[in-house]
Amino acid sequence: MQCRAQLSSTFYDRTCPNALNTIRTSVEQAVSNERRMAASLIRLHFHDCFVQGCDASILLDETPTIVSEKTALPNLGSARGYDIIEDAKRELEKTCPGVVSCADILAVAARDASTLVGGPSWTVKLGRRDSTTASHPLAEIDIPGPFDPLDRLISGFANKGLSTRDVVALSGAHSIGQAQCFLFRDRIYSNETDIDDGFASIRKRQCPQEEQNGNLAPLDLVTPNQLDNNYFKNLIQRKGLLQSDQVLFSGGSTDSIVSEYSNNSHTFATDFAAAMIRLGDISPLTNQSGIIRIVCGSIN
């Protein structure tokens, strides 16, 4: 089971009172430049927390002693937003040097990203510290994959102290963002019964059977830049883009939760916010553990 350390929403009130505003400014600028960045920042926090806990290990660059998580398959060529976190960190170092952790910046940036694309807000608990190590092997194993069956998704989240309901709520982040062709090609060419024919044929235009692996497609065709409950309506219509999306509504234990969220946007928003708080609680380094990195990509 994960240890739940004492984090606090008021952690920087005295040591860096403008910390949250500084982070928000960086995130606002990034998302106004490119709406898709909101999805990338939420995903970055998620991919960080699933490996060694929420310790900013995902931000560490390759060195002679560190095998970076950035080159692990779930992150390679798809994880983005590192520069946004570094921008925020650079600004924070000017006003309160050595105070705000990169792990906390990731957690706050994910919340701000949500609110900037119409998603819910929540009070971020703070006080995480940064790791001095990364784990490329764990990043390969622990981060949920786009081809995972339902039981594997549920057990992977449970290993991090997250419930089946959290699985479905957090998957709702796929209401925004895009996926690369090679991640959904098998699904749209499968002729399986769990995919709408018209939907598959639209997706084939941007994703031919051969090559064009990196072509991007929105995870939600209807409101691709809005964090809303439309993702769940898509699943009920068999229009989930990734296999790991559609398995949430395929005759299994999560069907009822998908139905609930598709019918009630308020319930989804509330559960998403609560699940994001629990995500941020996964095995943080606190007190004497870890360090405060001066640059997020390297150890001081």
Side-chain angles (χ1 to χ4, degrees):
M1 224 33 213
Q2 304 302 307
C3 63
R4 302 284 186 207
Q6 286 303 301
L7 302 175
S8 156
S9 61
T10 59
F11 190 80
Y12 297 114
D13 283 9
R14 288 184 177 165
T15 52
C16 193
N18 213 25
L20 296 184
N21 289 337
T22 303
I23 298 167
R24 186 168 185 91
T25 300
S26 291
V27 176
E28 278 177 346
Q29 192 171 352
V31 174
S32 71
N33 289 342
E34 184 197 8
R35 293 281 284 186
R36 182 183 164 216
M37 189 51 76
S40 299
L41 289 170
I42 293 170
R43 185 171 183 256
L44 206 55
H45 177 48
F46 180 82
H47 281 209
D48 177 42
C49 292
F50 259 66
V51 181
Q52 300 187 157
C54 308
D55 62 357
S57 61
I58 194 172
L59 304 177
L60 286 170
D61 292 319
E62 196 90 5
T63 70
T65 55
I66 291 172
V67 184
S68 177
E69 291 170 23
K70 292 181 179 182
T71 55
L73 274 176
N75 297 323
L76 185 66
S78 66
R80 357 177 9 254
Y82 301 113
D83 50 331
I84 314 304
I85 305 300
E86 290 288 8
D87 286 346
K89 179 61 174 169
R90 207 174 299 115
E91 290 305 312
L92 287 164
E93 285 302 306
K94 292 176 189 171
T95 49
C96 16
V99 172
V100 182
S101 70
C102 300
D104 278 346
I105 298 172
L106 280 168
V108 174
R111 186 271 311 271
D112 293 344
S114 169
T115 62
L116 288 166
V117 289
S121 185
W122 55 91
T123 302
V124 180
K125 292 191 271 181
L126 303 161
R128 299 167 192 81
R129 290 167 68 86
D130 300 325
S131 68
T132 53
T133 61
S135 180
H136 184 104
L138 282 181
E140 295 275 1
I141 298 165
D142 281 3
I143 295 172
F147 310 110
D148 284 358
L150 184 59
D151 57 352
R152 176 152 183 193
L153 288 173
I154 289 172
S155 64
F157 276 69
N159 288 340
K160 305 297 176 187
L162 298 170
S163 70
T164 300
R165 202 170 175 87
D166 292 332
V167 174
V168 184
L170 290 170
S171 296
H174 283 182
S175 164
I176 50 173
Q178 303 189 6
Q180 298 181 69
C181 169
F182 77 97
L183 296 174
F184 59 87
R185 176 184 282 127
D186 287 353
R187 176 160 158 70
I188 61 174
Y189 287 99
S190 68
N191 294 319
E192 293 288 334
T193 55
D194 68 348
I195 185 163
D196 176 85
D197 292 341
F199 173 77
S201 63
I202 290 170
R203 298 309 198 147
K204 286 173 184 173
R205 292 175 205 160
Q206 289 299 314
C207 186
Q209 269 188 293
E210 308 290 330
E211 60 208 26
Q212 309 294 323
N213 277 343
N215 277 12
L216 290 167
L219 288 155
D220 171 13
L221 275 173
V222 187
T223 54
N225 291 314
Q226 199 70 12
L227 180 48
D228 56 22
N229 70 332
N230 203 74
Y231 165 83
F232 300 103
K233 297 177 181 178
N234 293 341
L235 298 185
I236 290 171
Q237 295 168 7
R238 297 177 299 138
K239 295 177 180 177
L241 186 60
L242 301 176
Q243 196 60 45
S244 58
D245 292 324
Q246 195 59 57
V247 292
L248 300 176
F249 192 83
S250 56
S253 60
T254 51
D255 283 19
S256 58
I257 308 171
V258 171
S259 297
E260 191 181 342
Y261 291 160
S262 76
N263 289 324
N264 194 321
S265 58
H266 178 74
T267 303
F268 163 58
T270 304
D271 283 6
F272 181 78
M276 287 296 289
I277 292 170
R278 282 191 284 277
L279 173 70
D281 276 345
I282 298 174
S283 303
L285 299 169
T286 56
N287 301 326
Q288 300 311 304
S289 306
I291 60 171
I292 303 296
R293 288 190 222 137
I294 306 306
V295 174
C296 291
S298 60
I299 291 160
N300 307 342

